[in-house]
Amino acid sequence: MSRPVLYLFGSAAPPVQQFPDVVRRAQAAGFDVCVGLTPTAARWLESEVPLLEELTGHPVRSEYKQPTEVDVWPKADVIMFAPVTFNSMNHWALGLTNHFVIGVVAEGIGKRIPTVAMPCVNAAYVQHPQFARSLETLRNAGVSVLYGPDGFEPNEPGTGRPEGYPWHLPLAAAVRIAETAA
């Protein structure tokens, strides 16, 4: 039996730098992992891309493919988008798909691919009225957004600790989804 495919997506928040470890944890949980990054996150992890590709056996993607190119990834069973920045959360909710990762998660809603998202934003950003609207929009679209007491809780600007990002929460949610679908 083949392993369920997890698209592990991240945007440019400090916890994305832990992706090699997150890939290993997802693989230990039974997933075949494909890594996608926003353009800024791809720049941050540029030196880690060869390792991520070696670990997963798939190319790391941050750009759309050409229309004539064959898709090199298997179809996703689950998408885990974490960390999701303020910018990425709002682009996704508004359907602004100028980046590969945002395009895939936006289309994933219509394709009914189960998706788990966990923001990584500070307490100043969450005061912006669009953030609450974006959370509501994505949750109403069926995305499991882990934010608040059962997910990510924002910190004051400049006080976040990437090592404290609760990776176990979105990974556990992705595992539950895969087990339910099996």
Side-chain angles (χ1 to χ4, degrees):
M1 183 170 137
S2 63
R3 297 179 298 157
V5 175
L6 175 72
Y7 285 7
L8 174 62
F9 288 171
S11 51
V16 79
Q17 295 169 327
Q18 299 166 352
F19 256 34
D21 180 57
V22 177
V23 165
R24 289 181 188 101
R25 290 169 65 180
Q27 289 172 325
F31 287 109
D32 178 9
V33 182
C34 298
V35 173
L37 302 166
T38 62
T40 303
R43 283 194 304 278
W44 286 12
L45 294 181
E46 186 175 1
S47 67
E48 299 288 341
V49 167
L51 173 61
L52 291 167
E53 291 180 341
E54 181 182 327
L55 288 171
T56 64
H58 302 288
V60 172
R61 295 185 59 193
S62 61
E63 301 287 336
Y64 285 108
K65 67 178 186 62
Q66 293 294 320
T68 56
E69 292 177 325
V70 175
D71 196 345
V72 295
W73 282 1
K75 291 192 182 313
D77 295 300
V78 182
I79 299 172
M80 183 174 123
F81 192 0
V84 187
T85 60
F86 175 79
N87 186 51
S88 292
M89 183 71 68
N90 292 327
H91 273 200
W92 182 11
L94 293 170
L96 304 175
T97 61
N98 55 326
H99 296 304
F100 166 73
V101 165
I102 305 301
V104 173
V105 292
E107 189 176 42
I109 290 170
K111 289 181 171 181
R112 304 214 187 295
I113 301 170
T115 302
V116 176
M118 191 165 68
C120 184
V121 294
N122 68 41
Y125 279 127
V126 301
Q127 299 307 309
H128 191 286
Q130 185 56 48
F131 185 73
R133 288 192 290 268
S134 293
L135 289 175
E136 180 181 10
T137 296
L138 293 171
R139 284 176 171 154
N140 287 341
V143 176
S144 176
V145 181
L146 305 177
Y147 176 78
D150 296 325
F152 180 80
E153 296 194 66
N155 49 275
E156 290 302 315
T159 64
R161 294 182 349 270
E163 67 279 2
Y165 189 73
W167 284 109
H168 65 284
L169 297 174
L171 188 53
V175 167
R176 280 191 302 275
I177 290 167
E179 288 173 347
T180 302

